[in-house]
Amino acid sequence: MFIVSSALSSGGVAFEKYARWPAGGVFITGAHQLIGTYSDLRRFQQFDRNYFGWHAHHIVESQDLDRLGVSHLFPPRDQQICVLLPERAHIGRINSVLRNQNPTNVRATTNELLRAYQDAYALVGDYCGGGEANIRKELMAIVSVIFRMAGLH
């Protein structure tokens, strides 16, 4: 079973349990990003209204895992690793780049998807105060772990 803390450790991402969420399952990284499964982040948002309107973004989208034929190697969508992002960073930047470079109705190669994630995460900005380069580095480290777990690179 895919475990968020294992993915963070394997990617060399510094993290600790998020102390403001006693239920567990949400981690804060060295770049101040909140990471967890989709379901854990959604539960957390109900607890901490400061994150109302933010989105739990799948760091590697489940539809891309489907397109690469590796979704069977990962848990269901609600148990996959996500990052909590402001809506504008998620919809306005990341998703627009990912879908523009790799529309979901066409096939994509591993390298094309990696390039799209690099380009998308280059635009996420310093939304949490951890530094734009650090944020991008953490997200791409997690992407690399997921692709390695799937045997893609």
Side-chain angles (χ1 to χ4, degrees):
M1 169 73 43
F2 185 84
I3 299 172
V4 172
S5 58
S6 295
L8 294 169
S9 293
S10 295
V13 176
F15 70 97
E16 59 187 46
K17 289 181 181 179
Y18 190 52
R20 294 184 190 169
W21 177 235
V26 175
F27 303 92
I28 187 162
T29 68
H32 311 295
Q33 297 187 90
L34 294 177
I35 307 277
T37 65
Y38 182 84
S39 62
D40 284 336
L41 289 175
R42 297 293 292 164
R43 277 195 334 239
F44 165 72
Q45 283 181 281
Q46 293 172 359
F47 170 78
D48 190 333
R49 303 307 288 167
N50 291 314
Y51 294 97
F52 179 78
W54 286 46
H55 290 195
H57 163 68
H58 288 80
I59 297 171
V60 172
E61 296 190 340
S62 54
Q63 62 197 11
D64 290 334
L65 296 173
D66 287 339
R67 291 167 65 193
L68 293 169
V70 297
S71 59
H72 65 283
L73 300 172
F74 296 92
R77 187 176 191 279
D78 68 332
Q79 294 302 308
Q80 292 174 10
I81 189 168
C82 293
V83 59
L84 198 57
L85 295 171
E87 179 181 9
R88 185 179 200 138
H90 185 220
I91 301 298
R93 296 181 198 146
I94 293 173
N95 280 359
S96 66
V97 170
L98 289 175
R99 297 298 69 94
N100 182 39
Q101 288 190 21
N102 289 293
T104 56
N105 60 343
V106 298
R107 294 183 61 87
T109 67
T110 300
N111 287 336
E112 289 169 337
L113 284 173
L114 279 172
R115 202 168 22 256
Y117 280 102
Q118 288 170 341
D119 291 348
Y121 293 147
L123 298 177
V124 74
D126 188 8
Y127 74 93
C128 58
E132 193 170 340
N134 293 330
I135 291 166
R136 181 175 48 252
K137 182 179 176 184
E138 287 180 351
L139 293 173
M140 285 310 300
I142 296 165
V143 169
S144 292
V145 165
I146 293 170
F147 275 58
R148 274 195 319 268
M149 290 175 69
L152 298 171
H153 98 104

